[in-house]
Amino acid sequence: MLQYVRINYFRSRNVYIDGALSGKTNVILRVDEGTHIFDLGPNLNYSPASIKKKVTGTSALRPIEINFELADAG
Amino acid sequence: MKLLTVVILAVFLGACGSFPKNAKLNQFDANAGYRFDKLDTGAKNTDSLFVIVVMSGGGTRAAALSYGVLDALRETTITWQGEQKTLLDEVDIISSVSGGSFTAAYFALHREAIFDGAFEHEFLKHDVQKDLFHQLFVPGNWFKLFGLSYGRSDLAAEYYNTHLFNGATYQDLIDNKQRPFLIVNATDMTLGSQFPFIQDQFDLLCSDLAHLPLARSVASSSAFPGLLTPLTYENYAGKCDFKDYPWVELAQSNRRENADRTIRADQRSPITSHCRRARATMCIW
C-alpha cells in the first residue's frame, strides 16, 4: 500500500529515498510501505546525514514528516 | 558416405547456430542506461499528470487493440494547466507483455509516426505468422536451428529485427531521451518471475541493455510456451561491481512490513547469487 511522507527542509532540494532520487523537499511524496532511508543527496551540508524510518499508517492528509536541518558551518 | 558427410556438415554448421549474446556490462553505473529518471518529460508532457498505459497479450489481436488504444488517446483532447493537448502527449510509461509488446516497442521508438501507416500495413494487416512459418523452409536457417542454443524464437527475433524494427536497439530509446518509458515484460523461466527489459533488471545480470535489439525483447515477451522456444540470455552476475539498492536489504530485513516489496527484493537475489548457474534462460509469454 502506498504511504505518504513529507521531507521538511528550509529550502527546496532533492530527496533521495533508499538511494534513488524520489522528489523534492516540502511536498508530499508517495512511497512503498516499509522501512526506508531518507537523505537529501549531495552536498552534505545538512543534518542528520540520513534518517531511517518505518513508514506505515499514513494518508495523503496525514503524512509522516521527516525533518532535516542546515548543518552547522563550524 | 554422402549421407554421413551431410550429417557431419549439418552438425558442424549447427554448432554455428547459437543465440546472439547480450552485451556484458563492465562497470555498474546507476546513472547510465535505459532508466525512467534519465528521460526528459518531453515538450507537452507534465509530471503533474502521470499516465501509465498497460498493454496485455493475445497475439496480433492484442497488438491491434493496443494500437487502437493509442489512437483513442491521441484523439482525446484535454486541457491541462491551461494547455490544450492530447492524452497521448501525457503518457509517461508503457508496460507491455506478449502481443502488446509489438505496439508498445514500436510506439516508444517512432512515437506518433506509428500512425503513418507502416505499422498497420506491414505488421497488423500483414500475415507475419505465414512469413515466420516460411522462415523454417529457408535452408540457411536449418543449420542455425541445429544449434543447441538457437531456437524458433531466435529466428522470429531476427525477422522482427529486419522487418519491423530495422535493427533498432535500446540505445535508440536512450537517444530519444523522452518519455514514454518502455517496459517490455517477459518471464524468467528459471525463477518463474517477471523479467522486465529495463537496465535496472539487466544490472542484476551485469549486462548492458543499450546494445540489445528491441526485436529481441519483443520476441522474448511474445514467445508463447510450446509454440515458440525460450530465448537465452547470458548472466554475467558478479562481474561489474554491482551493488544492489538499500531498499532490497531493508525489505529483506523487515519482511513483515510489506510482503509485496519483500517478494520483489527476493526475486532479485537469485539472479545475482554466485551459486546460480552461469546462464539465465527465460521462457516468455
Side-chain angles (χ1 to χ4, degrees):
Chain A
M1 182 186 268
L2 273 181
Q3 300 295 320
Y4 299 85
V5 295
R6 181 184 158 105
I7 315 301
N8 296 319
Y9 191 62
F10 78 95
R11 67 173 177 84
S12 176
R13 62 182 288 175
N14 289 336
V15 170
Y16 290 78
I17 303 177
D18 302 330
L21 179 60
S22 302
K24 296 282 185 184
T25 54
N26 308 320
V27 294
I28 294 174
L29 304 175
R30 282 171 292 192
V31 67
D32 247 2
E33 185 171 19
T35 301
H36 296 280
I37 297 170
F38 299 88
D39 67 74
L40 305 184
N43 299 318
L44 292 171
N45 56 351
Y46 59 89
S47 157
S50 66
I51 295 175
K52 187 175 177 180
K53 186 97 175 170
K54 181 178 176 181
V55 184
T56 187
T58 66
S59 68
L61 296 175
R62 299 187 65 182
I64 279 183
E65 301 219 9
I66 293 169
N67 300 311
F68 287 96
E69 293 179 347
L70 185 66
D72 292 336
Chain B
M1 187 63 187
K2 275 184 183 174
L3 181 66
L4 184 66
T5 307
V6 169
V7 169
I8 290 172
L9 191 64
V11 170
F12 180 72
L13 290 172
C16 301
S18 63
F19 67 97
K21 286 188 178 174
N22 43 308
K24 184 171 177 271
L25 185 69
N26 292 319
Q27 180 62 48
F28 164 65
D29 182 353
N31 293 310
Y34 191 56
R35 301 174 199 275
F36 175 75
D37 57 355
K38 297 300 156 199
L39 299 181
D40 295 330
T41 53
K44 289 186 172 180
N45 194 317
T46 60
D47 264 334
S48 55
L49 180 59
F50 201 77
V51 179
I52 301 174
V53 177
V54 179
M55 298 179 176
S56 66
T60 310
R61 280 179 298 179
L65 172 65
S66 305
Y67 178 77
V69 168
L70 291 179
D71 198 22
L73 289 173
R74 182 178 62 143
E75 289 179 359
T76 306
T77 307
I78 60 168
T79 303
W80 186 255
Q81 295 177 334
E83 190 185 354
Q84 197 168 45
K85 60 179 76 175
T86 72
L87 257 182
L88 194 61
D89 294 327
E90 284 284 0
V91 174
D92 297 286
I93 293 175
I94 299 180
S95 180
S96 68
V97 70
S98 197
S101 293
F102 290 94
T103 309
Y106 198 93
F107 178 72
L109 187 63
H110 296 290
R111 311 300 167 90
E112 297 217 10
I114 193 174
F115 302 111
D116 287 353
F119 182 72
E120 193 174 334
H121 292 104
E122 290 170 23
F123 181 72
L124 292 180
K125 292 181 176 174
H126 184 77
D127 195 346
V128 174
Q129 207 170 342
K130 192 170 97 179
D131 282 0
L132 291 176
F133 187 68
H134 285 167
Q135 294 290 311
L136 295 174
F137 296 97
V138 176
N141 290 336
W142 298 347
F143 298 113
K144 288 182 184 175
L145 291 168
F146 261 111
L148 295 176
S149 59
Y150 190 95
R152 294 188 299 281
S153 288
D154 294 286
L155 209 57
E158 281 188 21
Y159 175 87
Y160 305 144
N161 193 41
T162 306
H163 294 89
L164 190 61
F165 294 106
N166 288 319
T169 65
Y170 276 85
Q171 185 61 51
D172 292 296
L173 299 188
I174 295 169
D175 293 342
N176 273 348
K177 292 181 181 171
Q178 288 186 2
R179 297 178 193 173
F181 182 64
L182 173 70
I183 308 175
V184 171
N185 293 284
T187 302
D188 182 341
M189 66 181 281
T190 56
L191 297 174
S193 60
Q194 183 182 358
F195 189 97
F197 282 81
I198 53 177
Q199 186 54 50
D200 181 60
Q201 183 75 20
F202 270 62
D203 286 340
L204 305 177
L205 306 176
C206 280
S207 182
D208 189 353
L209 178 66
H211 300 288
L212 190 81
L214 277 174
R216 201 155 170 80
S217 67
V218 170
S220 302
S221 181
S222 59
F224 193 82
L227 189 66
L228 289 160
T229 53
L231 285 100
T232 307
Y233 290 85
E234 202 75 33
N235 185 352
Y236 308 100
K239 296 173 184 171
C240 63
D241 301 324
F242 172 72
K243 190 175 182 301
D244 217 338
Y245 297 94
W247 73 263
V248 176
E249 191 184 334
L250 288 167
Q252 290 176 325
S253 58
N254 302 280
R255 303 188 72 84
R256 290 188 177 180
E257 287 180 357
N258 184 336
D260 290 340
R261 189 169 75 137
T262 302
I263 290 169
R264 287 201 302 277
D266 287 347
Q267 285 174 344
R268 295 171 73 88
S269 302
I271 297 175
T272 53
S273 165
H274 294 292
C275 301
R276 192 178 151 87
R277 287 188 307 148
R279 185 169 291 172
T281 312
M282 297 148 56
C283 178
I284 295 96
W285 64 88

